[in-house]
Amino acid sequence: MRNKLVAGNWKMNGSIAQNKALLDGVAAGFAALLSSGDTAKGVQCAVCVPFPYLFQAQSVLQGSKLAWGAQNLSQYEKGAYTGEVSASMLRDFACRYVIVGHSERRALYGESDAIVADKFEAAINAGLIPILCVGETLAEREANVTEQVVARQLDAVIVKCGAASLAKAVVAYEPVWAIGTGKTASPEQAQAVHAFVRNKIAQLDGAVADGLQILYGGSMKASNAVELLSMADIDGGLIGGAALDADEFLAICRAAQR
Ligand code: PEP
């Protein structure tokens, strides 16, 4: 049985003062949630914070059951890449996770499937767990090409790094039309794509497919988490807006417990 993972994506939000209360609140609430049985309850939790706050996240969360990570990384190891942050730098802050290929990076910063695959590889090589985001736009859903889009995004990574690399990764299905819009995919819509992802990978490696955590992302909140997380192939959530409120985020973690 796969553990559920609830990962927060803070996006470009926060300040040292605001983060302190949020990190303390989430850490305390998550510890209380686990107090009767640790990960036996099958839920893991992480927050992906902006680069400048990684040190703060590490300082507050080390020793807790919460993991932390970043929202992006460079595909390059080091050198003349002004403004970029490498995988080994993220390791310096003991990150466990890094989001790769978020739709905002693809759409706003021109990250192609090939660049996303390079970043995925950089993360794996450094021992970070990439949270690989895939998902279709509204126009693509309406044109009935959701599966083709998701397959293309996955294939870029599989061709470059091999299906076995997904054993060290997490996939997040995030329909672009549901991110930050308040429009959530229905549990059935999400499940259909999650099952498609798992079946596609199963054709290459059954064990990897069975173990793969596939998160849903797109306006997940406390009020819809139970329904979404009860679907067979939904193994957690990648949470944007609702991750900025400790109570809301913890309510999603609670919904992920089995
Ligand atoms: C996200 O940014 O990955 C996301 C899922 O955002 P939201 O939950 O706000 O839709």
Side-chain angles (χ1 to χ4, degrees):
M1 182 123 195
R2 293 177 295 273
N3 282 331
K4 295 267 199 276
L5 170 63
V6 179
N9 172 14
W10 287 10
K11 310 197 191 201
M12 196 173 73
N13 291 295
S15 67
I16 289 179
Q18 286 167 358
N19 303 347
K20 177 84 175 83
L22 182 53
L23 290 166
D24 282 345
V26 171
F30 193 64
L33 207 75
L34 295 180
S35 58
S36 59
D38 198 358
T39 49
K41 283 184 178 172
V43 57
Q44 302 164 318
C45 181
V47 288
C48 295
V49 306
F51 291 137
Y53 302 130
L54 282 172
F55 182 70
Q56 186 187 23
Q58 181 183 17
S59 307
V60 175
L61 299 180
Q62 62 193 349
S64 80
K65 296 284 184 198
L66 250 106
W68 57 94
Q71 301 166 16
N72 181 30
L73 82 169
S74 172
Q75 63 271 50
Y76 305 112
E77 278 177 34
K78 62 176 182 172
Y81 302 103
T82 301
E84 292 293 286
V85 174
S86 71
S88 64
M89 293 173 185
L90 299 184
R91 288 292 307 211
D92 265 349
F93 294 97
C95 288
R96 181 168 167 81
Y97 296 101
V98 59
I99 297 172
V100 172
H102 191 281
S103 62
E104 289 155 14
R105 304 274 338 154
R106 293 179 190 261
L108 303 175
Y109 300 98
E111 289 192 9
S112 63
D113 292 336
I115 292 173
V116 172
D118 288 346
K119 291 187 173 201
F120 181 98
E121 184 179 50
I124 294 276
N125 287 345
L128 295 161
I129 300 176
I131 300 177
L132 171 66
C133 297
V134 298
E136 81 289 2
T137 62
L138 184 58
E140 288 163 340
R141 173 159 284 265
E142 286 174 350
N144 271 325
V145 292
T146 296
E147 291 186 356
Q148 286 96 310
V149 170
V150 169
R152 192 201 70 222
Q153 292 169 334
L154 286 172
D155 279 339
V157 166
I158 292 168
V159 167
K160 182 160 184 78
C161 305
S165 67
L166 289 165
K168 299 180 204 146
V170 171
V171 170
Y173 168 56
E174 297 210 307
V176 179
W177 48 272
I179 296 178
T181 58
K183 283 187 206 153
T184 316
S186 70
E188 294 74 23
Q189 280 174 323
Q191 166 60 26
V193 181
H194 283 232
F196 169 77
V197 170
R198 199 176 308 283
N199 290 338
K200 176 174 167 56
I201 294 162
Q203 284 161 20
L204 303 168
D205 191 319
V208 170
D210 277 351
L212 181 66
Q213 287 174 315
I214 308 176
L215 314 185
Y216 167 79
S219 299
M220 193 190 270
K221 41 191 180 289
S223 60
N224 58 27
V226 172
E227 270 192 311
L228 285 158
L229 294 170
S230 67
M231 304 307 282
D233 289 293
I234 301 186
D235 307 310
L238 183 55
I239 318 296
L244 299 173
D245 179 316
D247 290 340
E248 187 77 14
F249 188 64
L250 287 163
I252 299 172
C253 295
R254 212 168 297 120
Q257 288 186 110
R258 41 169 194 262

